[in-house]
Amino acid sequence: MTARRVTPIYPADANLIVSLLDIHASIPNHISPHQSRIEILEAGTGHGALTLHLARAIHSTNPPLPVAAAAAPEQPSRGEETSAATTNSENNSGVLESPPTQLHGDPDLKRWRASRRAIIHGLDISAENSTHASQIVSGFRRGLYAGNVDFHVGDVSEWISKELEDRTKGSDGQQSEAFLSHILLDLPAAQLHLERISSTLRVDGVLTVFNPSITQITACVEVIREKRLPLVLDRVVELGPGMTGGREWDVRAVRPRAVIKAQSDRAKTFHNAGEEGRLPADVSGEKSRDEEQVQALATHGQRWELVCRPKVGGRVFGGGFLGVWRRMRHRREGN
């Protein structure tokens, strides 16, 4: 058992999320030298439970840890008090690292880190949450999967901007902006970051958004439609107790036939009225009411968001909604 700082993603949900990410990890001997490295961004690391499942999913892709790092001592037991300074260290790139990857002076470990074929970037706005997540990963099986994860602290949009700047400096400006193969957002307002992160996702890469409310998923659908982002909705799945494999939802932006027919009839009415030089009284009054509503909405400064979630008692164990998108090729990127 571990301390519960934030609500964890339980194993059944974590396994389903990892499977829907469609991660194809190959052993090093079967990797083409021209194949791109798998880089997964998990924004909203939180407890670290899902991070551990992701690290296990890509573990076969990376070569074995050097002997010195693999023999690093195990994390202290729960009874011992530890602080962020003693359980984690921060290198010059702003990465929070956990044992056994704290051996910065070991040249073998540096070469191993550079040779990794799969990396998880665990990002959280809270340094305490990031530290706790790193302890979860490094404390499992004596840090078996700890080398697969780099923990970061900060805002996701700011982190992406800094990461792109650092990569461009090291490649004489030739670094492609799309460097992530998978993105998972577990954030309360994920739609605010979609425009920034979509450009960093490779073509055919997978974006997943995990939220407790279906309205948060629909907000993402709306932003993607309004901003014409190169993302195609694959599926929306509800996770929860007793839902083996999840329950799929049909979420899309449509115009009801009744509305389309009403607009068509109204257009014909205006066309006929234009020919006769007058407007019917009921149509003129409707136009006036529409103008008043537009003005009222324009002056209404405060915006409210709907929250819809199952109510099954005092506590809800696990569950949520997962939206899955795939990155398509943008028109300006060519054929």
Side-chain angles (χ1 to χ4, degrees):
M1 299 293 291
T2 60
R4 179 176 171 138
R5 295 186 53 83
V6 293
T7 302
I9 296 179
Y10 293 96
D13 295 340
N15 286 327
L16 180 57
I17 292 173
V18 172
S19 67
L20 291 176
L21 277 171
D22 198 22
I23 301 173
H24 297 283
S26 304
I27 61 176
N29 292 337
H30 294 168
I31 292 181
S32 167
H34 303 291
Q35 183 174 345
S36 299
R37 180 164 59 182
I38 298 175
E39 294 197 53
I40 303 173
L41 171 63
E42 184 198 6
T45 305
H47 179 272
L50 180 58
T51 311
L52 182 59
H53 282 76
L54 291 171
R56 183 171 60 181
I58 67 170
H59 184 65
S60 62
T61 301
N62 288 328
L65 275 169
V67 176
E74 191 174 4
Q75 284 283 86
S77 63
R78 290 186 61 212
E80 299 179 34
E81 294 185 1
T82 58
S83 64
T86 59
T87 58
N88 295 86
S89 62
E90 186 172 355
N91 62 20
N92 295 331
S93 62
V95 180
L96 287 171
E97 296 179 341
S98 305
T101 60
Q102 288 183 354
L103 308 177
H104 304 299
D106 189 348
D108 292 336
L109 181 60
K110 290 182 179 180
R111 285 193 293 268
W112 179 85
R113 290 179 61 83
S115 66
R116 288 180 298 176
R117 303 299 302 175
I119 303 174
I120 296 170
H121 302 285
L123 179 68
D124 201 285
I125 196 69
S126 168
E128 293 182 355
N129 288 346
S130 186
T131 299
H132 178 75
S134 67
Q135 292 174 355
I136 294 295
V137 176
S138 61
F140 182 80
R141 299 282 182 88
R142 301 179 63 89
L144 177 63
Y145 305 130
N148 303 326
V149 188
D150 291 343
F151 290 94
H152 311 266
V153 177
D155 175 79
V156 58
S157 295
E158 294 176 359
W159 179 84
I160 286 177
S161 298
K162 184 178 183 303
E163 189 72 12
L164 287 173
E165 181 181 353
D166 294 342
R167 290 171 183 250
T168 303
K169 288 180 181 178
S171 58
D172 298 327
Q174 301 299 318
Q175 172 69 33
S176 173
E177 188 173 0
F179 66 94
L180 294 171
S181 56
H182 304 77
I183 299 176
L184 191 147
L185 303 180
D186 186 1
L187 305 172
Q191 71 274 12
L192 302 180
H193 304 282
L194 292 178
E195 186 174 13
R196 185 69 189 95
I197 68 170
S198 63
S199 60
T200 64
L201 187 62
R202 299 172 191 160
V203 174
D204 203 35
V206 179
L207 164 68
T208 57
V209 177
F210 180 71
N211 285 128
S213 173
I214 187 61
T215 56
Q216 294 169 297
I217 301 296
T218 60
C220 294
V221 173
E222 282 296 313
V223 169
I224 291 172
R225 183 183 64 85
E226 292 174 358
K227 296 184 179 295
R228 299 179 180 271
L229 301 181
L231 297 168
V232 178
L233 182 62
D234 184 19
R235 67 185 67 185
V236 176
V237 180
E238 180 184 2
L239 312 179
M243 297 183 185
T244 303
R247 179 172 60 185
E248 289 201 35
W249 284 54
D250 183 14
V251 178
R252 50 184 168 164
V254 299
R255 299 183 67 190
R257 294 180 181 178
V259 174
I260 297 176
K261 184 177 183 302
Q263 291 178 346
S264 177
D265 294 343
R266 184 180 178 185
K268 291 179 181 178
T269 302
F270 274 101
H271 177 72
N272 296 334
E275 292 179 350
E276 299 176 2
R278 61 184 178 81
L279 289 175
D282 57 340
V283 174
S284 178
E286 181 181 352
K287 182 180 179 181
S288 176
R289 288 192 297 272
D290 289 345
E291 292 176 352
E292 291 177 0
Q293 184 177 10
V294 170
Q295 293 177 0
L297 291 173
T299 57
H300 187 63
Q302 188 174 7
R303 180 178 178 181
W304 294 78
E305 296 289 349
L306 291 175
V307 175
C308 303
R309 63 183 63 178
K311 188 175 182 181
V312 293
R315 293 183 179 180
V316 177
F317 295 93
F321 295 87
L322 186 74
V324 183
W325 288 263
R326 279 197 178 271
R327 169 76 149 84
M328 63 180 182
R329 189 181 299 276
H330 204 278
R331 291 181 179 179
R332 66 169 178 264
E333 295 175 357
N335 299 326

